[in-house]
Structure formats: C-alpha cells, structure tokens
Amino acid sequence: MQDIYNPENFTPYLYHAPENSGTGLPFIIRASRMGCGYEESFFCVQRNADYPYFTVHFLFDGCGFFHIAGKDYLLKKGDAFIITAGDAHTYSNYSGDPLGLVWIELAIPGQQELSGFFKMNHIHTLDAAHTEKPLAQLISIIKAQKAAPETDDFSLSKLYYAFLMDLLEAASLSPARSHPQLVTDALSYIEQHFTEDLRICRLSEHLHVSHTYLTRIFRRYVGTTPLKYISLKRIEYACSLLNTTSMSCERIGECIGMYDASHFNRFFTRQMGLAPSVYRSKNRETPT
Amino acid sequence: MQDIYNPENFTPYLYHAPENSGTGLPFIIRASRMGCGYEESFFCVQRNADYPYFTVHFLFDGCGFFHIAGKDYLLKKGDAFIITAGDAHTYSNYSGDPLGLVWIELAIPGQQELSGFFKMNHIHTLDAAHTEKPLAQLISIIKAQKAAPETDDFSLSKLYYAFLMDLLEAASLSPARSHPQLVTDALSYIEQHFTEDLRICRLSEHLHVSHTYLTRIFRRYVGTTPLKYISLKRIEYACSLLNTTSMSCERIGECIGMYDASHFNRFFTRQMGLAPSVYRSKNRETPT
C-alpha cells in the first residue's frame, strides 16, 4: 500500500484530449483531461452545476475539503473524491500544506447512469483503504501516456473502462460515510453557527455530551476534531469573501465570528501561512 | 491469421451466466451465454424481435446464411455476424457441411445505442479480413472461463468491454457491404422469383448482361454464384415449410418452383445429405 505513494509516481503532468478526438462511435470512453501534481497550499476550485464531466480525484498527499450535494467531506491521503456530472461542487485546501492530487475527467456515454449511481448511494468519497486498485490503474494510464502518448481511441477506452471497473469495485467496498446522530447534530450546529462566536464548550453543552467524548466520536467519523473542523469552515468562508468581495479584512473577520481584527489576522496567518491582505492580492494577481 | 482457426481453440463449450448475477451496479457488461462448437449440417435459428441481446457470432468453419433487417448475407469462414438487439433474424446452414461457430450474447447497459450504431450503419456482418482481433479476444475469454470460471463481475466486464472495443474497431474497418446496382437488381429479382421456375438465363436476360459477367460480379459481392445463391434461398424456404407446415413434399417442391417431385427430392438430398421426408421427421424428433 505504501509503495503506491512513491513520489516518482506523481511528477507533474497534464493531459488534454486532442481537439479532433471523437470518432462518432458509440460506447467509447474518453478523458477530456487528466493530471497529477501538487496544488498550492491555498487554492479553491468552485464549479457550477454545468460542469459536465464525471471526475475522480485521489489525494496522494496532504488533506483537503470537498463540498458536494449539500455535504462537506474532509479528505486524507489516499482518499478519493468523486464529482458527479452536473453537480455544483467546491474542493479546496486550507491546511497550509500543499495538496497532492492525481485526477481524471471522463466523458462517458451514458454517464448520467453512472453519476446517478454514485449520487443515489451518496458515495462522493472513497476511503483510502479501498482506493489502491483504481489509483494504481490511473497512475499506470498516466505513465503510459507520458511514455508514449496513445492516440488509438479503442485502446485508451479499454484503459479508462478498466479504471471505472476498479472504481466501482472500490465503491461497492466503501459504503457511503454514514454518521451517528451525535455527529450529524454536531455538523448541523456548526453549519448554523460557525459565522458567530462559536465555542466548543457551547457545542458540547448543546449536545449534552462531554467535550472529550464529542471530540473522540467526531474525529472518528469526520477525520478531525470539532475545533479544527470549525477552523476549516471559517478559513474557507473567509477566503471566499477575500476572493469575491471587496469587504475589509476587519469585516470579514466579523463574518466568521472573530470580532477582534488582530485575532482574525493571527488566526488566518497561522492557518494559511500568509496574512489575509496578502492572500487577497496574490489571488487577484493570478486569477483562475 | 491461420493459427486462430486451430481446432484446439474450438472444443465445444457452453457458458450460462449464473442465476444470481446482477449486482445493481451501473456500467457492468454481462454475457448471458457464450459458446463454441459445431452446429449440425442442417439447422436454422429463427427469432422474433423480442430477442433482447446484442449477439456476435464468428464462423470458424463452413459457410452460412444470415437474414436480418430485410437483407440476406452469405458468410464464409472468419466472417462475423451481428444480431442487433430487438431485431427479428434467422441464421442457418443449408450447405450440407457442419458450421463451426463461436459466439457471445451480451447484456449491455445502454445497448440500444450500440445496436443502433450497427443498424444505422447497416453493419450486420464483418469481413474475415478484420475479425482476427475480436475473435482472438473472445477465444481467450472462453479459454479463461473454461480453465477457471471467473465470477468477479468487474474482471469479466473488463474482458467483455475489451471485446466490444475490438469489435467496434473491426466495424470501423469493415464498412457495410454495398453492392453495385447490378447485384442489387439481381438480388431483388431472385427474391421475387425464386419460388417460381427461375432460370439463370432469364435472370441475365432481365439484367441485359451476359451470364459470365453476371456470375463474376455477383460472386465478388455476394460470395457465391447466382445459381448457388438461388439454391440456398430455395433450400431454406423448403426447410422452413418442412418444419412449420404439414404440406406434402410434392407441394413444397412446387413452392420453390420445382414442379417435378423427384427433381425436388434429388435437389434437396444432394444439398442436405438427406431426403426431405427424413429431414422433416428428424426435426420433429428434436424440437428446438
């Protein structure tokens, strides 16, 4: 299992399908794009429901945050996340460490059925315990493309189909992450209150459990502590406000429940490795 | 190319999908049945439009006759014929020699699109020149199933998909058989008159060409001479009347333009290796 994450597997690469691809034949699967490499330590991809591809990402390093279909998912090394075609989604990294990703964007005939299967079963992420086979297949496709770009639609399609079968197998082993009621209640309370001066003690009081017990259960199902989770939600919201509005940093701090401007500044800098104002000007320089 | 027809590849085999197959996962391709072996020297498979499978047969020996979508096709060793789902069809062997077939019946999600592609492009047969790759893939699937029956849906599905890609590649190399006008006119005249006392000289007169020229062009596109082709049409019609009616052999002879009962008897016996009455009683013993 360890060997698959060997850095040699992940030298930066980006594949774009050739313009002329598309032979009019049925049943052929194509990748519009695929790639691997590190993303910056702060980045956010946000897409509307018009994104037409069935897309799979694997984290080979770092941890990330993924929103789709009204749910948030924390991701760790080895996990996969699946973008079902036609669903608005966001994925981002606010951890301060760069995020290693390998991914493929597929144009599949009948993909509504495929996306529908993942949506209906609420499978938007796959646990690292089950992703070895599809990840290895994707790495081998990328390696083969790097070594000698394959342009034969039939041969490529066989490789993509094999990847999809490995992915479906992983999905059938990795059921939807279902949370116990306590965790669902905690997530819902955080969702409603992370823009206010939310304290962990109030959260555990509200749920009638001890802070220690809440932290243990929450971490088991969500992958991190409630405190860290609230920080991620706040950082993400602050980043989106820095990117999309001209609100002052002070005002943005208030929007995530931090009424002391220097508190917000310290919090953001610690998390992201740079001050809010610097983050804003950096992102303005390189619009995506 | 020769090696693929090695008899060792075609020891009799019949695969039936296990009852419980069908996991509810999308995009999985299944074979309901597949097999290989020799068919008797006289047989006929006739199916209505409710046959739901996309089915591919390869002739590894002998020659056959295939009707689908209002057209007749003569098949030689190495050719494939494709039954598009939901199409009435007949395939048969009236050559007197046994017919060697290897075949697969596929249940494919989205198979309407696949069948539609073959129908729209009038590709119901593939020429032996292009079938090596899909035939080799089908033989290897059957060999693997014989050696160690694979029950993992994902692995099997990858093999079937690879077969389909090889088939599509062959289809893209093997365009629909289009006939010059002379051949189309000859086929249409035969279709209208083979139940009468049709003579080759009348056919060439009707088409305003010499008998020799007609035979040369006809053989190039249809794969046999007009005389042999008319015999096949007559034998096939006679067989279907023997199987499905209680008409006398004399009357059946008249139905294919042979008004002399002993002439019909000799003709049928020479072609099929047994007398019409024997054929009828044999087929009654073993209904299919």
Side-chain angles (χ1 to χ4, degrees):
Chain A
M1 187 68 189
Q2 231 15 47
D3 190 47
I4 208 169
Y5 301 117
N6 184 327
E8 276 184 20
N9 287 326
F10 304 104
T11 53
Y13 176 71
L14 180 62
Y15 166 89
H16 267 279
E19 285 284 326
N20 60 350
S21 87
T23 60
L25 292 167
F27 239 61
I28 302 266
I29 301 169
R30 291 191 177 79
S32 51
R33 297 189 304 165
M34 59 184 153
C36 61
Y38 277 95
E39 302 286 346
E40 290 171 89
S41 56
F42 43 93
F43 83 100
C44 175
V45 174
Q46 198 158 6
R47 293 202 195 92
N48 299 332
D50 57 5
Y51 180 71
Y53 301 110
F54 178 86
T55 302
V56 187
H57 291 70
F58 297 87
L59 274 70
F60 67 80
D61 204 0
C63 60
F65 211 36
F66 178 48
H67 310 261
I68 196 163
K71 280 208 175 172
D72 296 324
Y73 300 92
L74 276 181
L75 302 156
K76 64 182 183 307
K77 179 169 159 173
D79 287 354
F81 63 98
I82 293 161
I83 300 168
T84 40
D87 278 317
H89 60 273
T90 308
Y91 58 92
S92 53
N93 174 21
Y94 301 109
S95 69
D97 294 316
L99 190 62
L101 286 176
V102 50
W103 52 278
I104 185 163
E105 228 176 49
L106 290 166
I108 308 168
Q111 73 174 346
Q112 287 189 323
E113 198 203 3
L114 191 69
S115 284
F117 168 79
F118 282 92
K119 278 158 91 160
M120 257 183 38
N121 292 284
H122 308 289
I123 303 174
H124 289 287
T125 60
L126 299 176
D127 191 82
H130 306 299
T131 54
E132 185 176 353
K133 218 166 151 183
L135 175 55
Q137 174 69 7
L138 182 52
I139 292 170
S140 77
I141 293 173
I142 286 179
K143 276 188 176 170
Q145 279 297 96
K146 269 187 206 172
E150 173 70 72
T151 53
D152 167 9
D153 280 333
F154 304 104
S155 307
L156 276 171
S157 191
K158 287 179 195 174
L159 296 175
Y160 300 146
Y161 188 83
F163 167 75
L164 276 178
M165 285 299 108
D166 292 341
L167 191 78
L168 274 178
E169 192 173 7
S172 69
L173 296 169
S174 181
R177 293 188 194 180
S178 66
H179 295 148
Q181 194 57 43
L182 177 66
V183 176
T184 307
D185 292 345
L187 287 169
S188 138
Y189 188 87
I190 292 169
E191 190 66 36
Q192 284 164 49
H193 298 282
F194 79 94
T195 58
E196 303 157 21
D197 183 18
L198 169 62
R199 305 281 166 104
I200 291 298
C201 55
R202 276 194 221 136
L203 175 62
S204 44
E205 265 171 42
H206 169 78
L207 298 165
H208 308 292
V209 292
S210 76
H211 172 75
T212 321
Y213 181 72
L214 174 63
T215 299
R216 198 172 72 231
I217 301 295
F218 194 94
R219 193 211 293 268
R220 185 188 304 160
Y221 288 94
V222 181
T224 192
T225 64
L227 193 62
K228 177 75 185 165
Y229 185 84
I230 293 165
S231 293
L232 280 172
K233 292 286 296 178
R234 283 174 163 164
I235 281 288
E236 189 190 36
Y237 189 44
C239 285
S240 79
L241 293 176
L242 286 164
N243 286 335
T244 58
T245 72
S246 55
M247 280 161 69
S248 71
C249 292
E250 226 172 330
R251 183 73 194 89
I252 289 174
E254 287 170 17
C255 286
I256 60 165
M258 295 184 179
Y259 302 100
D260 176 343
S262 70
H263 178 195
F264 169 61
N265 206 58
R266 276 199 312 279
F267 166 77
F268 192 97
T269 309
R270 194 173 58 237
Q271 206 75 28
M272 299 293 287
L274 76 184
S277 55
V278 180
Y279 173 84
R280 174 175 266 168
S281 57
K282 272 209 169 201
N283 265 36
R284 296 257 153 107
E285 280 161 30
T286 53
T288 41
Chain B
M1 188 69 186
Q2 229 16 44
D3 190 46
I4 209 169
Y5 301 117
N6 184 326
E8 277 185 19
N9 287 326
F10 305 105
T11 54
Y13 176 70
L14 180 63
Y15 166 89
H16 266 279
E19 284 284 327
N20 60 350
S21 88
T23 60
L25 291 166
F27 239 59
I28 302 265
I29 300 168
R30 290 191 179 79
S32 53
R33 298 190 302 167
M34 57 184 155
C36 60
Y38 277 94
E39 302 286 345
E40 291 170 87
S41 58
F42 43 95
F43 83 100
C44 174
V45 173
Q46 198 159 7
R47 295 203 193 90
N48 298 332
D50 58 3
Y51 180 70
Y53 302 109
F54 178 87
T55 303
V56 186
H57 292 70
F58 297 86
L59 273 71
F60 66 81
D61 204 1
C63 61
F65 211 34
F66 178 48
H67 309 261
I68 196 163
K71 282 207 173 169
D72 296 326
Y73 300 93
L74 275 182
L75 302 156
K76 65 182 183 305
K77 179 169 160 174
D79 286 354
F81 63 99
I82 293 162
I83 299 168
T84 40
D87 278 317
H89 59 273
T90 308
Y91 58 92
S92 52
N93 175 21
Y94 301 108
S95 69
D97 293 319
L99 190 62
L101 287 177
V102 50
W103 52 277
I104 186 163
E105 225 176 52
L106 289 166
I108 308 169
Q111 74 175 346
Q112 287 189 322
E113 198 203 2
L114 191 69
S115 284
F117 168 80
F118 282 91
K119 278 158 91 160
M120 258 184 36
N121 292 283
H122 309 289
I123 302 174
H124 289 287
T125 60
L126 299 176
D127 190 83
H130 305 300
T131 55
E132 184 174 355
K133 217 167 152 181
L135 175 56
Q137 174 68 6
L138 182 53
I139 291 169
S140 78
I141 294 172
I142 287 179
K143 277 188 175 172
Q145 279 297 97
K146 270 187 204 172
E150 173 71 71
T151 54
D152 167 9
D153 280 333
F154 305 104
S155 307
L156 276 171
S157 191
K158 287 179 196 175
L159 296 175
Y160 300 145
Y161 187 83
F163 167 74
L164 275 178
M165 285 300 107
D166 292 340
L167 190 78
L168 273 178
E169 193 173 5
S172 69
L173 298 168
S174 182
R177 293 189 195 179
S178 66
H179 294 150
Q181 194 57 43
L182 177 67
V183 176
T184 307
D185 291 346
L187 287 168
S188 138
Y189 187 88
I190 293 170
E191 190 65 37
Q192 285 164 46
H193 298 282
F194 79 95
T195 56
E196 304 157 20
D197 183 17
L198 170 61
R199 306 278 165 108
I200 293 297
C201 56
R202 276 193 224 138
L203 175 62
S204 44
E205 265 170 45
H206 169 77
L207 298 166
H208 308 293
V209 292
S210 76
H211 172 75
T212 321
Y213 181 72
L214 174 63
T215 300
R216 196 170 74 231
I217 301 295
F218 194 93
R219 193 211 292 268
R220 185 189 304 161
Y221 288 94
V222 181
T224 193
T225 64
L227 191 64
K228 177 77 184 162
Y229 185 83
I230 294 166
S231 293
L232 281 170
K233 292 286 297 177
R234 284 177 162 161
I235 281 288
E236 190 190 34
Y237 189 44
C239 286
S240 80
L241 293 176
L242 287 164
N243 286 336
T244 59
T245 72
S246 54
M247 280 161 70
S248 71
C249 292
E250 225 170 334
R251 181 75 195 88
I252 289 174
E254 288 169 18
C255 287
I256 59 167
M258 296 183 178
Y259 301 101
D260 175 344
S262 70
H263 177 195
F264 170 59
N265 206 59
R266 276 200 311 279
F267 166 76
F268 193 96
T269 309
R270 194 172 58 236
Q271 206 75 29
M272 301 292 288
L274 76 185
S277 55
V278 181
Y279 174 83
R280 174 176 265 167
S281 58
K282 273 210 170 200
N283 264 36
R284 294 256 154 106
E285 279 161 29
T286 54
T288 42

